[in-house]
């Protein structure tokens, strides 16, 4: 392996606002050798997530140590084991990793997990990856929807939102989504079975949302903040739960934007719960949650749409465009095909 | 009883902003007679609560039907039974009621509850009244503090805040309060045993709060919103719980004021929980919670300070001045002394 070259993107400045490309630099170096207990992997696919920008920002979220200037840009990956100095792994194994934006990675075996369950390889970085875990935990454990309740999800055509809505439908809820184009809204209703969808770019969102939620909102899964969160707060029923998952529309600013009005008054008066969660804290139950997701996929209740960008060199642009809402379903970058028989 | 006169304050316009006095009118009428199943009571004491204004506003909280123009101004009261047409009550009984701002009231027996436990009469409308229930449920059930954690409470010299801080101390927490004068702050530390207090009128609150909370904040019991909530959000640790109890500083406005910045970003990144609650939904467990409070009072762990205004005619001014922070401890209006032997 020593003769092979590794391409890796290193952070050259913190990624707090604006385009991603100027914040990273592609370096070419020889592939590193694995030490005792280490595993050398080839990166097959890279997950492109809003959180990537947060990790690389000057003010990373408190659960994360942050990516420092000079570090490899951090991202969740799906890898194939090439050389293993760890008893739990053998060449050809497909593993979940945090290899980041590069072709090859060396990691201690403890940092890797073998994928569980079959199906398409890419599903292990979309529906059986962090998007699926995030949707499942955020919706079912934080939001706790009951059959017959109205669930609203924003960025509903995105990787997490599209799963949230479908899981809520499978649990017997009425589901409304918001998305940034009429095409996405049609897809939500016609293909995914949502009960309604609102294009937030077509006009003020609150009157539309009110029409679509005649019985008010019981669970709002928030991926965007801003106007959608404001509308959801105002249309919430007593005891509604608001799952604060991400803040795509608010990341790209050096100052936090204006929050929704009426906080804490609306929370106190309507007895609301607004709650964030850290998906990494739930990894111990990953196999159990994956089994629940596999069941939904295999029974046809969960349609998975992937938005695959080809080539490591396109990772920076793929991340930047995520914040403009370019993606349709789970966005990932395909870096290499596995050498084994898995496809 | 027919010869006696009842004085009652009726709502003449909704109480959305500004002084309370112009919104009510004192009427003098003959005392009503109790019908079948009804109980005639004499109002002994009236609880003066921030929520009173919300109930009488044009936009009452969703858990409340609201006080209509022409209705008796609503308030929680402690009453003595004079005439009972209900098998559960007899003349001389002391009961919790919702008789509002008047001398005498007629209510169905089902709307009354006999006070449980002994002690001072006034304690049944302060520490064993809704203030104590609110502090107990909000702190222990919503906030769920653990021994060793840092608990911050605003309006800490008020009826609920002063109990929240002391209950948290009794549970082994480090407790910091905020209040609107140096005198109140000294009382919190010297008399109630708080670990620190900040006078929010003396300057910017966040740097002071940071000094007093070197390990960050784990539970913030919010009674005020605004700058205190902003500071608490920024100083919160991962997984902190923010109990949204009231919004004294934000009631007195026709428009909701500016919310703290960074919502939902801070909630998502720090995995926070902001939660409101409706104390009336927990009344079924009232006796059990009162027993817990009685134990704290009788063991000397809970000091109760009451701010007693004499005379029904002073109820409107007593409520208005509550929003200026005039009260020190639980504010109540004494309307009459009981005819029985209870004092």
């Amino acid at each position: 392996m020593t003769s092979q070259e590794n391409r890796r993107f290193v952070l050259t400045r913190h990624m707090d606002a604006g385009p991603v490309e100027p914040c990273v630099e592609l370096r070419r170096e020889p592939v590193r050798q694995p030490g005792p207990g280490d595993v050398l992997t080839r990166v097959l696919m890279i997950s492109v997530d809003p959180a990537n920008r947060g990790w690389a920002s000057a003010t990373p979220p408190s659960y994360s140590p942050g990516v420092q200037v000079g570090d490899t840009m951090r991202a969740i990956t799906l890898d194939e084991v090439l050389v293993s100095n760890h008893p739990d792994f053998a060449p050809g194994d497909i593993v979940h990793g945090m290899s980041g934006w590069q072709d090859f990675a060396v990691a201690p075996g403890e940092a890797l997990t073998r994928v569980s369950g079959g199906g398409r390889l890419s599903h292990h970085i979309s529906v059986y990856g962090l998007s699926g875990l995030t949707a499942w935990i955020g919706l079912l454990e934080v939001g706790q929807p009951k059959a017959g309740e109205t669930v609203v999800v924003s960025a509903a055509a995105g990787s997490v939102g599209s799963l949230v809505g479908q899981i809520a439908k499978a649990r017997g809820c009425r589901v409304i989504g918001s998305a940034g184009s009429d095409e996405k809204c049609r897809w939500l209703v016609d293909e995914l079975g949502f009960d309604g969808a609102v294009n937030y770019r077509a006009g003020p969102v609150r009157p539309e949302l009110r029409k679509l939620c005649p019985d008010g909102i019981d669970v709002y899964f928030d991926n965007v903040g801003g106007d959608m969160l404001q509308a959801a707060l105002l249309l919430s029923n007593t005891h509604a739960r608001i799952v604060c998952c991400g803040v795509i529309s608010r990341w790209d600013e050096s100052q936090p934007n204006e929050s929704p009005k009426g906080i804490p008054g609306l929370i106190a008066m309507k007895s609301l719960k607004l709650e964030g969660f850290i998906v990494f804290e739930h990894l111990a139950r990953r196999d159990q949650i994956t089994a629940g997701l596999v069941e939904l996929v295999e029974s046809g209740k969960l349609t998975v749409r992937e938005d695959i960008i080809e080539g490591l060199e396109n990772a920076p642009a793929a991340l930047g465009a995520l914040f403009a809402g370019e993606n349709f379903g789970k966005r990932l970058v395909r870096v290499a095909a596995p050498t084994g028989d898995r496809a």
Side-chain angles (χ1 to χ4, degrees), chain A:
Chain A
M1 296 301 307
T2 45
S3 62
Q4 274 195 276
E5 183 185 71
N6 181 35
R7 296 174 302 163
R8 69 178 180 112
F9 280 101
V10 300
L11 194 69
T12 53
R13 64 174 193 239
H14 285 300
M15 212 176 271
D16 282 302
V20 170
E21 287 88 336
C23 304
V24 291
E25 185 183 283
L26 188 66
R27 298 217 182 131
R28 291 163 189 276
E29 299 163 353
V31 170
R32 283 175 54 212
Q33 290 307 299
D38 283 349
V39 177
L40 171 67
T41 65
R42 178 200 305 274
V43 176
L44 304 180
M45 290 180 172
I46 294 171
S47 179
V48 183
D49 299 299
N52 295 166
R53 185 191 282 269
W55 299 339
S57 75
T59 53
S62 51
Y63 67 82
S64 157
V67 182
Q68 300 306 310
V69 167
D71 288 353
T72 304
M73 178 60 193
R74 188 186 303 161
I76 292 161
T77 58
L78 202 63
D79 297 22
E80 180 180 22
V81 173
L82 298 180
V83 178
S84 175
N85 295 336
H86 191 283
D88 292 353
F89 300 96
D93 283 352
I94 305 293
V95 294
H96 295 288
M98 285 286 269
S99 302
W101 290 4
Q102 58 183 343
D103 288 310
F104 298 96
V106 172
E110 287 69 29
L112 305 172
T113 328
R114 199 180 287 98
V115 305
S116 78
R120 281 170 65 146
L121 184 63
S122 60
H123 280 192
H124 292 277
I125 202 163
S126 59
V127 61
Y128 309 140
L130 228 53
S131 300
L133 279 179
T134 300
W136 185 279
I137 290 161
L139 178 70
L140 298 182
E141 301 187 10
V142 182
Q144 299 186 8
K146 292 184 263 304
E149 287 192 327
T150 298
V151 173
V152 171
V153 55
S154 53
S159 60
V160 172
S162 60
L163 300 177
V164 165
Q166 294 180 86
I167 297 169
K169 280 301 297 179
R171 294 289 175 120
C173 298
R174 177 175 160 79
V175 177
I176 306 298
S178 72
S181 74
D182 288 340
E183 184 198 357
K184 287 179 178 177
C185 287
R186 276 192 301 272
W187 179 66
L188 293 174
V189 174
D190 296 343
E191 303 294 323
L192 301 192
F194 279 48
D195 297 289
V198 52
N199 175 358
Y200 67 84
R201 288 191 166 126
V205 75
R206 192 168 142 212
E208 286 306 307
L209 200 56
R210 185 192 297 273
K211 273 185 236 162
L212 292 169
C213 302
D215 299 324
I217 298 173
D218 300 299
V219 176
Y220 171 53
F221 194 106
D222 183 59
N223 286 306
V224 300
D227 291 342
M228 268 300 292
L229 177 55
Q230 179 75 75
L233 278 168
L234 290 166
L235 297 174
S236 277
N237 293 327
T238 300
H239 292 300
R241 292 126 270 156
I242 296 177
V243 184
C244 299
C245 181
V247 282
I248 292 182
S249 74
R250 304 288 138 168
W251 263 155
D252 210 355
E253 294 162 34
S254 54
Q255 291 290 326
N257 207 305
E258 198 183 344
S259 299
K261 292 189 189 302
I263 289 176
L266 291 169
I267 300 177
M269 286 204 295
K270 294 186 179 194
S271 200
L272 304 180
K273 184 176 79 167
L274 277 73
E275 189 168 0
F277 63 103
I278 297 168
V279 70
F280 297 104
E281 295 178 354
H282 301 264
L283 292 183
R285 291 183 297 120
R286 181 167 198 156
D287 286 357
Q288 172 205 337
I289 293 168
T290 300
L293 290 162
V294 166
E295 195 181 315
L296 289 177
V297 169
E298 295 189 346
S299 67
K301 287 186 180 156
L302 210 51
T303 297
V304 181
R305 179 152 177 170
E306 292 162 348
D307 173 36
I308 303 178
I309 311 292
E310 298 289 341
L312 174 64
E313 61 282 7
N314 294 316
L319 177 60
L322 195 68
F323 293 87
E326 192 190 77
N327 63 304
F328 207 138
K330 171 62 192 168
R331 171 159 282 198
L332 52 92
V333 171
R334 184 169 8 232
V335 180
T339 51
D341 52 7
R342 183 107 184 216

